[in-house]
Amino acid sequence: MRIFLTVPFVFMATFATADTNDLIKTEGLLVAEAALSAQPDKTSSDQFALGAVRFLRGIEKTLQIRWKHNMVLADFDMPVLRLPVEPNPDAAPFAPALITALFSDLRSDMDASRAALDQVAGGDDVALNLNLMDLWFDVNMNARRDVGEGVIELGASSLMTRRARANMDDIPEAMLVRFDTADVAWLTAYTHLISGISELVVAFDPTQAITQVLEANEKMMALRGDIPMTNPYDGEFGGWVDQFAMVYGALNQQPVAENTRAAHGHFLEMIAENKVFWRAVAAEKDNINEWIPNKTQTAALGFELPADTSETWQALLKDAEDLLNGDLLVSYWRIAPVGGINLKKLFMDPPVVDIVTWIQGAGLLEYMEQGPTVTDTNFRRFSRMVSGDTLLFSLLFN
């Protein structure tokens, strides 16, 4: 299987008319969004372009907030937070509430993206062409494209596999992709994925945990004074410990059920839209610069998919759907093989995430029940199909 620069465009790929493409290339996403929003009598293709630009603009805003406050956060393996951001020599002070605000705003941006995508009339053809090399994020907010702000530049180091990064020398000057009707559902599914993750961050608001860690660090630094650390690795280790303490502190509190239930709904909607996407892809008869091809098509970016890709991926999605609906359980060591954890109940009535009681079992007892548990059969089948590039293609297909 040949893989050629796929994941840099996950969470970032967009679709536009020729005029919008030129606006993004020369003026940036902010101008492109304003122009598309003001355009009267939008066609379905225009609505698709608007939804996609709003999606991209939401990602861009998270990068701008992080750059403004020097929120590097590359070690956090989460959408948008793992994308690299260059240091800001004149950064504004960091505030613990910024993380929750960032995801709250991102959630609103995904709502706005879906609002445009929902206007694509059923049955209307969508055919939009884009050179992916023209995409960029105005990270430092100076209204011009600087080195390192291209989608490929930002995505390659954080989202691509090692094998894909080895092909970076093969990048052409143009990457022409034609997004069509099926891709409306593909992008809609991604808005639900990002919304679901954002709801979970808001549910486990990390503001207090971050505040506690930062205040404790300040007091400990005052105690040490000007004496340097005796072990040069202590600083690196301390950074890792601080991040763990922030995450653990956020999880080890009562989450807001309203948000976890909303996340549950978004994840189910993501799966539903993914089903729509694969049905539409299977029905396509053309073969023009395809984003994700069916059995008779060719991918514009050069990767090849096995003939049973759709069936294998959807079997994995069915497992996820059954888990979210409580029809399958997550196996738990103390009651296996007769039962496990009901994931739906965790979303509907969320508990404090206490690692000790979760491992021992007391903290999860009310969510345990007898019944069939999910197996790793479909996951292993999918992983074998994509030759181990499981994360790469999971992010592509969502």
Side-chain angles (χ1 to χ4, degrees):
M1 179 181 297
R2 179 169 175 260
I3 299 174
F4 182 69
L5 289 177
T6 303
V7 178
F9 317 112
V10 174
F11 305 129
M12 292 180 281
T14 190
F15 330 96
T17 62
D19 290 343
T20 305
N21 186 79
D22 290 342
L23 275 174
I24 295 174
K25 180 179 180 180
T26 60
E27 303 295 335
L29 291 165
L30 182 61
V31 174
E33 180 186 4
L36 278 168
S37 297
Q39 181 177 326
D41 302 322
K42 298 180 184 64
T43 65
S44 289
S45 294
D46 295 330
Q47 294 288 0
F48 188 20
L50 177 59
V53 169
R54 285 177 175 173
F55 179 89
L56 269 178
R57 176 69 181 136
I59 304 300
E60 180 181 64
K61 286 159 66 176
T62 69
L63 294 169
Q64 291 174 339
I65 291 172
R66 290 176 53 207
W67 180 83
K68 181 179 179 181
H69 298 277
N70 253 350
M71 296 162 56
V72 179
L73 303 175
D75 292 334
F76 281 93
D77 194 13
M78 291 180 61
V80 307
L81 292 188
R82 67 181 298 171
L83 294 173
V85 173
E86 292 295 320
N88 181 355
D90 189 27
F94 173 79
L98 282 171
I99 297 294
T100 302
L102 181 151
F103 279 97
S104 181
D105 290 345
L106 182 59
R107 179 183 56 181
S108 298
D109 290 326
M110 295 302 104
D111 289 343
S113 175
R114 278 195 302 276
L117 295 171
D118 287 344
Q119 297 303 310
V120 177
D124 277 8
D125 287 335
V126 172
L128 302 166
N129 300 289
L130 181 69
N131 180 1
L132 298 179
M133 297 296 290
D134 291 340
L135 292 181
W136 61 286
F137 293 119
D138 187 16
V139 179
N140 58 13
M141 296 176 283
N142 65 354
R144 67 171 183 265
R145 180 172 180 168
D146 293 325
V147 175
E149 290 186 331
V151 163
I152 295 177
E153 296 167 284
L154 282 168
S157 62
S158 60
L159 296 175
M160 294 174 67
T161 64
R162 185 176 303 173
R163 181 167 62 170
R165 284 196 297 270
N167 291 326
M168 286 295 290
D169 292 339
D170 298 331
I171 299 176
E173 293 184 2
M175 289 178 149
L176 302 177
V177 177
R178 177 181 180 270
F179 295 89
D180 50 31
T181 308
D183 298 311
V184 179
W186 178 87
L187 183 59
T188 303
Y190 254 110
T191 67
H192 283 296
L193 173 62
I194 300 297
S195 291
I197 293 171
S198 298
E199 290 284 4
L200 289 179
V201 174
V202 174
F204 290 92
D205 181 1
T207 302
Q208 181 57 41
I210 296 173
T211 301
Q212 184 177 27
V213 170
L214 294 181
E215 289 181 348
N217 280 354
E218 185 176 352
K219 292 177 181 178
M220 286 184 284
M221 290 176 66
L223 285 172
R224 194 181 72 223
D226 296 330
I227 305 301
M229 289 184 176
T230 56
N231 188 336
Y233 295 104
D234 285 350
E236 182 178 343
F237 176 71
W240 180 87
V241 170
D242 289 345
Q243 290 189 8
F244 177 83
M246 291 174 185
V247 173
Y248 179 74
L251 294 176
N252 195 21
Q253 64 175 330
Q254 182 59 52
V256 180
E258 179 183 357
N259 297 113
T260 61
R261 293 167 186 167
H264 180 266
H266 281 299
F267 294 144
L268 283 175
E269 287 292 340
M270 175 192 71
I271 294 172
E273 291 291 341
N274 206 278
K275 292 179 181 179
V276 172
F277 166 73
W278 284 107
R279 286 197 299 268
V281 167
E284 291 180 352
K285 304 297 183 182
D286 63 322
N287 188 18
I288 307 172
N289 294 336
E290 300 296 331
W291 174 234
I292 299 176
N294 62 28
K295 298 176 183 179
T296 64
Q297 295 173 322
T298 304
L301 300 183
F303 58 85
E304 298 175 3
L305 299 178
D308 61 344
T309 295
S310 175
E311 294 80 4
T312 303
W313 174 247
Q314 290 188 79
L316 190 58
L317 281 183
K318 182 63 167 59
D319 284 346
E321 184 177 34
D322 287 345
L323 283 171
L324 287 168
N325 285 327
D327 297 326
L328 285 177
L329 308 174
V330 180
S331 182
Y332 187 77
W333 67 284
R334 282 195 180 271
I335 62 172
V338 300
I341 308 299
N342 188 315
L343 190 62
K344 180 179 180 180
K345 289 182 179 179
L346 281 175
F347 278 99
M348 295 299 105
D349 187 18
V352 173
V353 181
D354 185 329
I355 295 176
V356 174
T357 62
W358 277 35
I359 294 175
Q360 186 273 333
L364 288 172
L365 187 58
E366 64 179 289
Y367 304 94
M368 296 181 194
E369 58 188 58
Q370 294 182 339
T373 58
V374 70
T375 69
D376 64 350
T377 301
N378 290 322
F379 177 82
R380 286 189 290 106
R381 180 186 171 198
F382 177 72
S383 183
R384 287 195 303 268
M385 183 191 73
V386 298
S387 301
D389 285 300
T390 308
L391 178 60
L392 179 75
F393 282 97
S394 296
L395 290 174
L396 175 64
F397 299 154
N398 72 57

